[in-house]
Amino acid sequence: LQPPPFMDFAHLLRIGLAAGWEETYAENVGQEEEEGKEFRELALRAGPSRMQGTGWGLFTTRERRKGEEICRYTGNVLRTADALKQDDKSYLMRLGPQCYVDARRRLEVAARYINDARDERRYNVTFEKNPELGFARVVALRGIQAGEELYVDYGRWYWASTDGDVIQAPAVPCGATRAELEDQIRILVGDEQWSPAVLAIRYRRVTGRRL
C-alpha cells in the first residue's frame, strides 16, 4: 500500500488497520512470543526462561569471559518524583540519587529480560550502575557458556513487602544515606506522603535494622 505524499501517518494508520494490518501485527507478535526474540548484534536471545513461572529470560548465544560487558540496561531516565508516579515498577531500576531508569516500554532493551534466580549460586551477571550516563552495564561475574540463561540479583528491596506479595522496585546500594533509604522506601510503598515513622517501620521489617 503506497500512500499519496499528502497523507499523514494517522490517516495511513487508519487505512492500514482497515486493510488488516492489525491482524498481521497480532500474528507476528504471537509468533515472536512463541519463538523468542533475537538480539543478534549482542549475541543474545530472549525466550522462555528455564525458571518456572517467570515468563521469558535472556540467553547468551556465544561464550562470555569474566568481566565482559554483555549489554546495557537502558530506558527512560526519571527523577524520583516521576519514578514514584509509575503504576508499574517492574522494570524500574535505581541508578543513584534522583536517577532511575525504566525499561518497561523498551522492548528493544535485551537486559530487561534478565531474571533473578533467587539463588546466589546461579548468578552469573551483575549490574554496574552509571547514573551520570543513565544506564547500567550488564557484566559477567564468571565465564558463561553459549546457551546459558543470564541471572542477576535484583536486590533485597525488589522483593520486599509487608504482606508477602512482591513489590517491584530497584535495590539500594550499600552505604546509602538515610535520605536515599527513605527515597527508596517511598518507591516501595508507591506513595511519597508516608511519614518518617512509617518509613522507619518499613525499613526495619525489610532489613531487620533500625533506620
Side-chain angles (χ1 to χ4, degrees):
L1 180 63
Q2 296 294 327
F6 58 82
M7 194 174 296
D8 64 18
F9 178 77
H11 191 184
L12 175 60
L13 181 59
R14 287 193 293 272
I15 292 177
L17 293 177
W21 289 359
E22 186 174 22
E23 293 181 6
T24 302
Y25 173 76
E27 290 174 1
N28 291 340
V29 170
Q31 182 178 4
E32 183 179 89
E33 288 179 350
E34 182 177 344
E35 297 178 356
K37 181 179 180 66
E38 295 286 345
F39 299 93
R40 291 187 178 87
E41 70 284 0
L42 299 172
L44 296 170
R45 181 179 184 276
S49 174
R50 291 172 182 156
M51 295 176 58
Q52 285 189 337
T54 56
W56 276 17
L58 188 66
F59 300 80
T60 179
T61 59
R62 68 169 175 82
E63 186 176 341
R64 309 287 181 161
R65 68 182 185 279
K66 181 179 179 179
E68 177 182 347
E69 179 180 315
I70 297 174
C71 59
R72 294 181 177 183
Y73 195 100
T74 61
N76 298 326
V77 178
L78 306 170
R79 293 180 65 81
T80 301
D82 295 319
L84 285 167
K85 297 174 184 177
Q86 304 306 304
D87 294 330
D88 184 350
K89 300 180 178 65
S90 302
Y91 299 92
L92 187 65
M93 178 189 294
R94 185 181 191 277
L95 297 177
Q98 288 293 325
C99 185
Y100 291 80
V101 60
D102 187 2
R104 182 166 66 96
R105 299 183 182 276
R106 301 290 292 275
L107 302 183
E108 76 280 8
V109 177
R112 72 191 297 280
Y113 297 101
I114 302 176
N115 286 317
D116 185 339
R118 308 296 298 276
D119 182 346
E120 62 182 13
R121 297 169 298 180
R122 301 178 68 183
Y123 296 139
N124 51 18
V125 296
T126 187
F127 289 132
E128 292 187 356
K129 301 177 181 180
N130 191 328
E132 290 78 16
L133 297 179
F135 65 79
R137 301 170 64 235
V138 178
V139 178
L141 290 172
R142 58 167 174 78
I144 304 173
Q145 299 299 312
E148 279 194 65
E149 183 170 358
L150 304 182
Y151 297 114
V152 70
D153 183 2
Y154 288 177
R156 190 173 187 179
W157 290 91
Y158 185 96
W159 304 107
S161 72
T162 56
D163 57 6
D165 294 330
V166 172
I167 292 183
Q168 297 162 320
V172 171
C174 294
T177 65
R178 175 174 178 133
E180 291 171 338
L181 290 171
E182 289 186 353
D183 171 47
Q184 180 57 50
I185 297 171
R186 288 188 174 96
I187 289 290
L188 287 169
V189 173
D191 189 332
E192 57 184 330
Q193 302 303 317
W194 289 71
S195 69
V198 173
L199 296 178
I201 293 172
R202 292 277 295 181
Y203 176 74
R204 187 174 183 182
R205 294 197 62 168
V206 171
T207 66
R209 303 193 304 271
R210 293 183 180 277
L211 182 62

Short mmCIF file of all heavy atoms in Angstrom, two decimals, residues 131-169:
data_model
loop_
_atom_site.label_atom_id
_atom_site.label_comp_id
_atom_site.label_asym_id
_atom_site.label_seq_id
_atom_site.Cartn_x
_atom_site.Cartn_y
_atom_site.Cartn_z
N PRO A 131 24.86 6.32 36.89
CA PRO A 131 23.81 7.35 36.90
C PRO A 131 24.15 8.55 36.05
O PRO A 131 23.25 9.22 35.53
CB PRO A 131 23.71 7.73 38.39
CG PRO A 131 25.01 7.31 38.99
CD PRO A 131 25.44 6.11 38.23
N GLU A 132 25.44 8.85 35.88
CA GLU A 132 25.82 10.01 35.08
C GLU A 132 25.39 9.84 33.62
O GLU A 132 25.01 10.80 32.96
CB GLU A 132 27.34 10.23 35.14
CG GLU A 132 27.85 10.71 36.49
CD GLU A 132 27.95 9.58 37.50
OE1 GLU A 132 27.92 8.39 37.08
OE2 GLU A 132 28.05 9.88 38.70
N LEU A 133 25.42 8.60 33.14
CA LEU A 133 25.07 8.35 31.74
C LEU A 133 23.68 7.72 31.59
O LEU A 133 23.21 7.52 30.47
CB LEU A 133 26.12 7.43 31.09
CG LEU A 133 27.53 8.03 31.01
CD1 LEU A 133 28.49 7.03 30.38
CD2 LEU A 133 27.51 9.33 30.21
N GLY A 134 23.03 7.41 32.71
CA GLY A 134 21.65 6.94 32.67
C GLY A 134 21.47 5.50 32.25
O GLY A 134 20.45 5.16 31.64
N PHE A 135 22.40 4.62 32.58
CA PHE A 135 22.24 3.20 32.26
C PHE A 135 23.06 2.36 33.23
O PHE A 135 23.87 2.88 34.00
CB PHE A 135 22.64 2.90 30.81
CG PHE A 135 24.10 3.12 30.50
CD1 PHE A 135 25.06 2.19 30.87
CD2 PHE A 135 24.51 4.26 29.84
CE1 PHE A 135 26.40 2.38 30.58
CE2 PHE A 135 25.86 4.47 29.54
CZ PHE A 135 26.81 3.53 29.92
N ALA A 136 22.83 1.04 33.18
CA ALA A 136 23.62 0.10 33.95
C ALA A 136 24.24 -0.92 32.99
O ALA A 136 23.56 -1.41 32.09
CB ALA A 136 22.76 -0.62 34.98
N ARG A 137 25.50 -1.21 33.17
CA ARG A 137 26.18 -2.22 32.37
C ARG A 137 25.87 -3.60 32.94
O ARG A 137 25.86 -3.80 34.15
CB ARG A 137 27.69 -2.00 32.37
CG ARG A 137 28.13 -0.66 31.82
CD ARG A 137 29.60 -0.40 32.07
NE ARG A 137 30.46 -1.35 31.37
CZ ARG A 137 31.38 -2.11 31.95
NH1 ARG A 137 31.56 -2.04 33.27
NH2 ARG A 137 32.12 -2.93 31.25
N VAL A 138 25.61 -4.56 32.07
CA VAL A 138 25.44 -5.96 32.49
C VAL A 138 26.78 -6.64 32.27
O VAL A 138 27.24 -6.77 31.13
CB VAL A 138 24.33 -6.65 31.68
CG1 VAL A 138 24.22 -8.12 32.09
CG2 VAL A 138 23.00 -5.94 31.87
N VAL A 139 27.42 -7.06 33.36
CA VAL A 139 28.79 -7.58 33.31
C VAL A 139 28.82 -9.02 33.81
O VAL A 139 28.18 -9.36 34.82
CB VAL A 139 29.72 -6.69 34.16
CG1 VAL A 139 31.14 -7.24 34.17
CG2 VAL A 139 29.71 -5.26 33.62
N ALA A 140 29.58 -9.87 33.14
CA ALA A 140 29.69 -11.28 33.52
C ALA A 140 30.49 -11.42 34.81
O ALA A 140 31.58 -10.86 34.95
CB ALA A 140 30.36 -12.06 32.40
N LEU A 141 29.94 -12.20 35.76
CA LEU A 141 30.62 -12.46 37.03
C LEU A 141 31.60 -13.60 36.91
O LEU A 141 32.49 -13.77 37.74
CB LEU A 141 29.59 -12.79 38.11
CG LEU A 141 28.71 -11.65 38.60
CD1 LEU A 141 27.63 -12.18 39.54
CD2 LEU A 141 29.56 -10.60 39.32
N ARG A 142 31.45 -14.41 35.88
CA ARG A 142 32.31 -15.57 35.62
C ARG A 142 32.25 -15.89 34.14
O ARG A 142 31.54 -15.23 33.38
CB ARG A 142 31.82 -16.78 36.44
CG ARG A 142 30.37 -17.17 36.14
CD ARG A 142 30.04 -18.52 36.72
NE ARG A 142 28.64 -18.91 36.59
CZ ARG A 142 28.08 -19.37 35.47
NH1 ARG A 142 28.82 -19.50 34.37
NH2 ARG A 142 26.80 -19.71 35.44
N GLY A 143 32.99 -16.92 33.73
CA GLY A 143 32.87 -17.38 32.37
C GLY A 143 31.48 -17.97 32.15
O GLY A 143 30.97 -18.69 33.01
N ILE A 144 30.86 -17.64 31.03
CA ILE A 144 29.50 -18.11 30.74
C ILE A 144 29.52 -18.83 29.40
O ILE A 144 30.05 -18.32 28.42
CB ILE A 144 28.50 -16.94 30.69
CG1 ILE A 144 28.55 -16.14 32.00
CG2 ILE A 144 27.08 -17.44 30.44
CD1 ILE A 144 27.72 -14.86 31.97
N GLN A 145 28.93 -20.02 29.37
CA GLN A 145 28.90 -20.82 28.16
C GLN A 145 27.76 -20.41 27.23
O GLN A 145 26.72 -19.91 27.70
CB GLN A 145 28.77 -22.31 28.50
CG GLN A 145 29.92 -22.86 29.34
CD GLN A 145 31.25 -22.74 28.63
OE1 GLN A 145 31.38 -23.10 27.46
NE2 GLN A 145 32.25 -22.22 29.33
N ALA A 146 27.94 -20.61 25.94
CA ALA A 146 26.88 -20.34 24.97
C ALA A 146 25.65 -21.18 25.32
O ALA A 146 25.77 -22.36 25.64
CB ALA A 146 27.35 -20.66 23.56
N GLY A 147 24.47 -20.54 25.30
CA GLY A 147 23.23 -21.23 25.61
C GLY A 147 22.78 -21.07 27.05
O GLY A 147 21.64 -21.41 27.39
N GLU A 148 23.65 -20.52 27.92
CA GLU A 148 23.27 -20.32 29.32
C GLU A 148 22.29 -19.17 29.44
O GLU A 148 22.38 -18.16 28.73
CB GLU A 148 24.48 -20.01 30.19
CG GLU A 148 25.29 -21.21 30.63
CD GLU A 148 26.26 -20.86 31.74
OE1 GLU A 148 25.79 -20.50 32.85
OE2 GLU A 148 27.47 -20.92 31.50
N GLU A 149 21.36 -19.31 30.40
CA GLU A 149 20.48 -18.19 30.74
C GLU A 149 21.21 -17.27 31.70
O GLU A 149 21.97 -17.72 32.56
CB GLU A 149 19.18 -18.68 31.37
CG GLU A 149 18.21 -17.56 31.67
CD GLU A 149 16.82 -18.02 32.09
OE1 GLU A 149 16.59 -19.25 32.11
OE2 GLU A 149 15.97 -17.16 32.39
N LEU A 150 20.98 -15.97 31.55
CA LEU A 150 21.62 -14.99 32.42
C LEU A 150 20.74 -14.73 33.64
O LEU A 150 19.52 -14.57 33.52
CB LEU A 150 21.86 -13.69 31.67
CG LEU A 150 22.68 -13.80 30.37
CD1 LEU A 150 22.89 -12.42 29.76
CD2 LEU A 150 24.02 -14.48 30.62
N TYR A 151 21.38 -14.68 34.81
CA TYR A 151 20.67 -14.41 36.06
C TYR A 151 21.40 -13.31 36.83
O TYR A 151 22.63 -13.32 36.93
CB TYR A 151 20.61 -15.67 36.93
CG TYR A 151 19.84 -16.81 36.33
CD1 TYR A 151 20.50 -17.99 35.96
CD2 TYR A 151 18.47 -16.74 36.13
CE1 TYR A 151 19.80 -19.05 35.42
CE2 TYR A 151 17.76 -17.80 35.59
CZ TYR A 151 18.43 -18.96 35.23
OH TYR A 151 17.73 -20.00 34.68
N VAL A 152 20.64 -12.39 37.39
CA VAL A 152 21.20 -11.29 38.15
C VAL A 152 20.46 -11.14 39.47
O VAL A 152 19.27 -11.51 39.57
CB VAL A 152 21.12 -9.97 37.35
CG1 VAL A 152 19.68 -9.48 37.23
CG2 VAL A 152 22.01 -8.88 37.93
N ASP A 153 21.13 -10.63 40.47
CA ASP A 153 20.50 -10.36 41.77
C ASP A 153 19.79 -9.01 41.70
O ASP A 153 20.43 -7.97 41.57
CB ASP A 153 21.57 -10.34 42.86
CG ASP A 153 20.99 -10.14 44.25
OD1 ASP A 153 19.75 -10.05 44.38
OD2 ASP A 153 21.78 -10.08 45.21
N TYR A 154 18.45 -9.03 41.76
CA TYR A 154 17.69 -7.77 41.72
C TYR A 154 17.91 -6.94 42.99
O TYR A 154 17.68 -5.74 42.98
CB TYR A 154 16.19 -8.06 41.61
CG TYR A 154 15.72 -8.57 40.28
CD1 TYR A 154 14.39 -8.92 40.10
CD2 TYR A 154 16.57 -8.71 39.20
CE1 TYR A 154 13.91 -9.40 38.89
CE2 TYR A 154 16.12 -9.19 37.98
CZ TYR A 154 14.78 -9.54 37.83
OH TYR A 154 14.32 -10.01 36.63
N GLY A 155 18.28 -7.60 44.08
CA GLY A 155 18.43 -6.90 45.35
C GLY A 155 17.25 -7.16 46.27
O GLY A 155 16.13 -7.40 45.84
N ARG A 156 17.53 -7.09 47.57
CA ARG A 156 16.50 -7.41 48.57
C ARG A 156 15.29 -6.49 48.48
O ARG A 156 14.16 -6.90 48.71
CB ARG A 156 17.15 -7.31 49.96
CG ARG A 156 16.28 -7.84 51.08
CD ARG A 156 17.06 -7.86 52.38
NE ARG A 156 16.31 -8.52 53.43
CZ ARG A 156 16.76 -8.69 54.67
NH1 ARG A 156 17.97 -8.27 54.98
NH2 ARG A 156 16.03 -9.29 55.58
N TRP A 157 15.53 -5.23 48.12
CA TRP A 157 14.43 -4.27 48.09
C TRP A 157 13.41 -4.58 47.02
O TRP A 157 12.24 -4.23 47.15
CB TRP A 157 14.99 -2.87 47.88
CG TRP A 157 15.73 -2.35 49.07
CD1 TRP A 157 17.06 -2.46 49.32
CD2 TRP A 157 15.19 -1.65 50.17
NE1 TRP A 157 17.38 -1.88 50.50
CE2 TRP A 157 16.24 -1.38 51.04
CE3 TRP A 157 13.90 -1.23 50.51
CZ2 TRP A 157 16.06 -0.69 52.24
CZ3 TRP A 157 13.72 -0.54 51.69
CH2 TRP A 157 14.79 -0.28 52.54
N TYR A 158 13.85 -5.23 45.97
CA TYR A 158 12.92 -5.53 44.87
C TYR A 158 11.78 -6.43 45.35
O TYR A 158 10.63 -6.28 44.96
CB TYR A 158 13.68 -6.21 43.74
CG TYR A 158 12.86 -6.48 42.50
CD1 TYR A 158 12.89 -5.60 41.44
CD2 TYR A 158 12.07 -7.62 42.39
CE1 TYR A 158 12.16 -5.84 40.29
CE2 TYR A 158 11.32 -7.86 41.26
CZ TYR A 158 11.37 -6.97 40.21
OH TYR A 158 10.63 -7.21 39.09
N TRP A 159 12.13 -7.36 46.23
CA TRP A 159 11.14 -8.36 46.65
C TRP A 159 10.43 -7.99 47.95
O TRP A 159 9.59 -8.74 48.43
CB TRP A 159 11.84 -9.71 46.84
CG TRP A 159 12.58 -10.14 45.62
CD1 TRP A 159 13.93 -10.17 45.44
CD2 TRP A 159 12.01 -10.61 44.39
NE1 TRP A 159 14.24 -10.61 44.18
CE2 TRP A 159 13.08 -10.90 43.52
CE3 TRP A 159 10.70 -10.81 43.95
CZ2 TRP A 159 12.88 -11.37 42.22
CZ3 TRP A 159 10.51 -11.28 42.66
CH2 TRP A 159 11.58 -11.56 41.81
N ALA A 160 10.77 -6.84 48.52
CA ALA A 160 10.26 -6.51 49.84
C ALA A 160 8.79 -6.10 49.83
O ALA A 160 8.32 -5.42 48.94
CB ALA A 160 11.07 -5.37 50.44
N SER A 161 8.04 -6.54 50.84
CA SER A 161 6.67 -6.10 51.05
C SER A 161 6.25 -6.46 52.46
O SER A 161 6.90 -7.23 53.14
CB SER A 161 5.72 -6.74 50.04
OG SER A 161 5.54 -8.11 50.34
N THR A 162 5.15 -5.90 52.91
CA THR A 162 4.67 -6.19 54.25
C THR A 162 3.73 -7.38 54.30
O THR A 162 3.54 -7.99 55.34
CB THR A 162 3.90 -4.97 54.82
OG1 THR A 162 2.85 -4.62 53.91
CG2 THR A 162 4.83 -3.79 54.98
N ASP A 163 3.13 -7.74 53.16
CA ASP A 163 2.15 -8.82 53.18
C ASP A 163 2.62 -10.06 52.45
O ASP A 163 1.85 -11.00 52.24
CB ASP A 163 0.84 -8.34 52.52
CG ASP A 163 1.04 -7.84 51.11
OD1 ASP A 163 2.16 -7.96 50.60
OD2 ASP A 163 0.07 -7.31 50.54
N GLY A 164 3.90 -10.08 52.04
CA GLY A 164 4.43 -11.26 51.38
C GLY A 164 4.33 -11.22 49.88
O GLY A 164 4.93 -12.03 49.19
N ASP A 165 3.57 -10.29 49.34
CA ASP A 165 3.48 -10.16 47.89
C ASP A 165 4.70 -9.41 47.37
O ASP A 165 5.32 -8.64 48.10
CB ASP A 165 2.21 -9.40 47.47
CG ASP A 165 0.97 -10.18 47.81
OD1 ASP A 165 1.03 -11.43 47.82
OD2 ASP A 165 -0.06 -9.54 48.09
N VAL A 166 5.01 -9.61 46.11
CA VAL A 166 6.16 -8.94 45.53
C VAL A 166 5.82 -7.48 45.26
O VAL A 166 4.81 -7.17 44.66
CB VAL A 166 6.57 -9.62 44.22
CG1 VAL A 166 7.65 -8.81 43.52
CG2 VAL A 166 7.07 -11.03 44.49
N ILE A 167 6.67 -6.59 45.72
CA ILE A 167 6.60 -5.19 45.33
C ILE A 167 7.84 -4.95 44.48
O ILE A 167 8.96 -5.11 44.94
CB ILE A 167 6.61 -4.25 46.55
CG1 ILE A 167 5.31 -4.39 47.32
CG2 ILE A 167 6.80 -2.81 46.11
CD1 ILE A 167 5.19 -3.46 48.49
N GLN A 168 7.64 -4.59 43.24
CA GLN A 168 8.75 -4.49 42.31
C GLN A 168 9.38 -3.12 42.38
O GLN A 168 8.77 -2.13 42.05
CB GLN A 168 8.26 -4.82 40.90
CG GLN A 168 7.75 -6.24 40.82
CD GLN A 168 6.88 -6.47 39.63
OE1 GLN A 168 6.07 -5.63 39.27
NE2 GLN A 168 7.03 -7.62 39.00
N ALA A 169 10.63 -3.07 42.81
CA ALA A 169 11.36 -1.82 42.91
C ALA A 169 12.85 -2.13 42.92
O ALA A 169 13.25 -3.22 43.27
CB ALA A 169 10.97 -1.07 44.20
#
